[in-house]
Amino acid sequence: TLSAWNREIAVFRATVAGKTPAKRVESTTERLKTISDFGLYKEIEQRPIQVGEYRGVAFFIDANFLFSLYEQDLDPETGETLEQVTERVLVHLNDLREAQRNQRRPDLLFRGVGFSLVATAAFFLLLWGLKKLQNRIRSAIVRRTAKMKWTKIHTFDMRRFLFRAIRQLTKIIFFIIAFASAYVWLGFVLAQFPFSAPWAKALGGRLAGIVTGILEGLLRAIPNILIVVAILLVTRWVTTIVDGVFKSMEGSSNQEGVLSGDTARATRRIVIVAIWIAGVVIAYPYIPGSDSAAFKGISVLLGLMVSFGSSGVINQIMSGFVVLYSGALRTGEYVQAGDVEGTVADISLLSTRLLTPKKEYVTVPNAVLMGKNTINYSRLQAEERTAVSTSVTIGYDTPWRQVRAMLLLAADRTKGVRKQPPPQVFQTALSDFYVAYELRFVPGDVSAKNATLSLLHQRILDVFNEFGVQIMSP
């Protein structure tokens, strides 16, 4: 490409008389530099020439040869003729000649310098005004935000974070406006001088291309954005209906169904999450930029994070499914899970929380819960009830009937021991030196069984002391 004064003049493709296109450009550039000031006021002349099989046009100014353009220099893909390219090259040469003439005019130079100084002063004045406006807008928004009551949730005050966000947002807006102003100022200053005018035109074209591209992208994205909004609205509507249906099941008095109580609550969360995932998956192709490399990279990164970090979570969730849908535990039941004993406070997909008699909240992971034996003391509450036991060992010198009667008497005197079904005494072992007796009873409140056992032990000691029987093995 032959260029002069930041202007494209012509494109050489042919090798003529042993001179490559690069050599032709080099020699033409040297000849353009030798044009006299007087020659700039002469018209550009063109003459047809023939060099061997090469037919072309030679360009002259003030009878001085500049360069030649041949048919072999034409771009075959455009289909332009030599005459069309010649007309365009003439326009470029005349533009170059006029720019070089104007650059030598003092009045144009002084005017360009004056306009540049005025534009520079206006630019810095604009920056100063933007800074003042930024501070005023920020102060006004901060004052209004400070009066909003919804910014304080319980003891958490969001105003500090809102103020920080407002400060950053105003800075970003100020920077964008300042950058655009600097861009316009630079283009205006460059356009005042013939030598740098092509740079101003390039800057303007670049800015126009960016703005046009953004506007076209927004216009193309509007239908897809409307589709995404519609999909998310439908998804929210469906989740609202599902939420209401499952909440009605949670509040049902029937706790024996598959979807009742804890299972209904957990199923509600699972179904709502699944619906939202389905909605996002359906809407994803319509999100502007979803087919870009950035979106694909983020998707791959999230996939890797989920793959490497979800093995333990999936194990907990699958265990949670078993705990919930097997019905082994329900909220409010008194159970013993491994070494922990207490009332079930909450069952989720990941863990189960127990409230112990000491008023301690203990969180047991569902995977741990599935790996240990779980005793449910509250499940049998109709005809058969879960019994609690305690045992003593008495020597063979005390009649077993007396021991049995004393244990039943102690149970009868203990508050919290149900009369029906009646307590029972079993002889569980006949050892070498003693007999093992086990007293089984049903507590009135299974969640207070430890307190009932403590009272029962006190009554057993009282009764055995009353009848002079020592609880002692030889």
Side-chain angles (χ1 to χ4, degrees):
T1 300
L2 173 64
S3 299
W5 274 46
N6 306 311
R7 291 164 171 81
E8 179 180 321
I9 306 300
V11 177
F12 297 154
R13 294 182 174 85
T15 299
V16 182
K19 297 181 69 173
T20 62
K23 288 291 185 181
R24 292 171 61 194
V25 167
E26 183 179 349
S27 59
T28 303
T29 303
E30 293 298 326
R31 284 192 290 270
L32 289 175
K33 292 179 181 179
T34 61
I35 299 177
S36 64
D37 294 344
F38 179 77
L40 294 175
Y41 292 90
K42 298 289 185 176
E43 295 294 331
I44 303 294
E45 301 177 14
Q46 55 172 332
R47 303 172 189 173
I49 60 171
Q50 184 81 29
V51 180
E53 60 179 7
Y54 289 66
R55 187 179 74 87
V57 177
F59 296 91
F60 296 84
I61 185 170
D62 193 22
N64 294 315
F65 173 72
L66 297 179
F67 62 89
S68 300
L69 189 67
Y70 300 93
E71 289 181 339
Q72 286 74 9
D73 289 323
L74 304 182
D75 186 357
E77 294 184 359
T78 62
E80 290 181 308
T81 63
L82 180 62
E83 289 73 17
Q84 292 173 330
V85 175
T86 301
E87 291 296 327
R88 187 168 66 248
V89 170
L90 279 174
V91 172
H92 292 167
L93 285 173
N94 285 320
D95 178 60
L96 171 63
R97 184 168 59 90
E98 184 178 0
Q100 289 180 336
R101 285 204 315 262
N102 291 336
Q103 190 72 20
R104 290 168 170 80
R105 292 177 55 184
D107 59 330
L108 292 180
L109 292 179
F110 285 131
R111 188 181 67 177
V113 172
F115 283 162
S116 299
L117 292 176
V118 172
T120 303
F123 171 65
F124 284 105
L125 183 63
L126 176 63
L127 293 181
W128 178 80
L130 286 174
K131 188 65 177 178
K132 291 290 185 182
L133 182 62
Q134 174 194 4
N135 294 334
R136 288 193 176 187
I137 293 175
R138 182 191 300 171
S139 300
I141 296 175
V142 167
R143 284 196 302 270
R144 293 199 175 190
T145 306
K147 297 178 182 179
M148 296 178 180
K149 296 181 179 179
W150 59 268
T151 57
K152 190 173 183 180
I153 303 176
H154 298 295
T155 58
F156 177 70
D157 194 348
M158 294 193 300
R159 284 176 294 186
R160 182 180 58 173
F161 301 97
L162 287 175
F163 295 158
R164 187 180 302 171
I166 292 169
R167 188 181 300 110
Q168 296 298 327
L169 182 61
T170 52
K171 282 184 179 180
I172 292 173
I173 296 175
F174 170 79
F175 175 78
I176 292 175
I177 298 176
F179 180 78
S181 303
Y183 200 96
V184 174
W185 165 80
L186 181 60
F188 179 80
V189 171
L190 292 176
Q192 302 308 309
F193 304 98
F195 179 79
S196 58
W199 293 343
K201 187 177 180 180
L203 286 175
R206 181 68 59 84
L207 181 60
I210 292 174
V211 174
T212 303
I214 292 175
L215 293 177
E216 290 180 353
L218 289 176
L219 291 176
R220 287 196 301 267
I222 286 176
N224 288 340
I225 292 175
L226 293 178
I227 293 175
V228 171
V229 171
I231 292 173
L232 296 181
L233 288 176
V234 171
T235 304
R236 183 180 179 184
W237 177 69
V238 173
T239 55
T240 302
I241 296 176
V242 171
D243 184 71
V245 172
F246 279 98
K247 280 186 176 178
S248 66
M249 294 181 181
E250 293 177 31
S252 175
S253 58
N254 180 19
Q255 297 295 321
E256 299 298 329
V258 177
L259 293 178
S260 60
D262 299 319
T263 54
R265 181 167 60 254
T267 305
R268 172 174 61 86
R269 296 171 181 171
I270 295 170
V271 173
I272 289 176
V273 170
I275 293 174
W276 274 112
I277 291 175
V280 171
V281 170
I282 295 173
Y284 181 83
Y286 299 99
I287 298 176
S290 60
D291 56 345
S292 64
F295 260 79
K296 293 177 182 178
I298 293 174
S299 302
V300 172
L301 177 62
L302 291 177
L304 290 175
M305 291 172 62
V306 172
S307 299
F308 286 119
S310 64
S311 57
V313 176
I314 295 300
N315 183 27
Q316 297 289 348
I317 291 176
M318 297 308 296
S319 301
F321 280 135
V322 176
V323 172
L324 283 166
Y325 293 102
S326 66
L329 305 176
R330 295 194 186 104
T331 302
E333 292 182 334
Y334 192 84
V335 301
Q336 180 177 347
D339 300 330
V340 182
E341 185 177 305
T343 303
V344 179
D346 180 64
I347 305 175
S348 66
L349 283 177
L350 299 178
S351 62
T352 299
R353 289 193 301 169
L354 303 179
L355 177 62
T356 68
K358 297 179 181 179
K359 302 303 179 184
E360 299 170 334
Y361 269 108
V362 180
T363 301
V364 182
N366 287 330
V368 176
L369 195 67
M370 290 301 300
K372 295 184 178 181
N373 294 329
T374 302
I375 302 174
N376 193 325
Y377 293 103
S378 302
R379 184 58 56 88
L380 298 178
Q381 294 292 337
E383 298 178 357
E384 297 182 357
R385 294 179 180 272
T386 302
V388 180
S389 64
T390 185
S391 60
V392 294
T393 54
I394 308 297
Y396 282 98
D397 56 338
T398 304
W400 66 268
R401 292 181 178 84
Q402 180 183 0
V403 177
R404 178 177 179 276
M406 287 189 295
L407 290 174
L408 294 176
L409 178 60
D412 185 65
R413 293 179 179 179
T414 303
K415 183 180 179 181
V417 176
R418 297 178 64 92
K419 307 299 180 183
Q420 293 295 331
Q424 295 177 300
V425 177
F426 297 90
Q427 292 167 254
T428 57
L430 298 175
S431 299
D432 292 338
F433 304 103
Y434 59 85
V435 181
Y437 298 89
E438 181 181 356
L439 173 61
R440 297 179 188 175
F441 67 95
V442 177
D445 183 6
V446 70
S447 62
K449 73 179 189 66
N450 292 329
T452 304
L453 273 173
S454 178
L455 290 175
L456 178 61
H457 292 158
Q458 295 172 12
R459 299 297 175 266
I460 290 175
L461 291 174
D462 292 340
V463 171
F464 275 63
N465 289 333
E466 181 181 340
F467 289 92
V469 177
Q470 291 185 343
I471 304 177
M472 182 178 64
S473 302

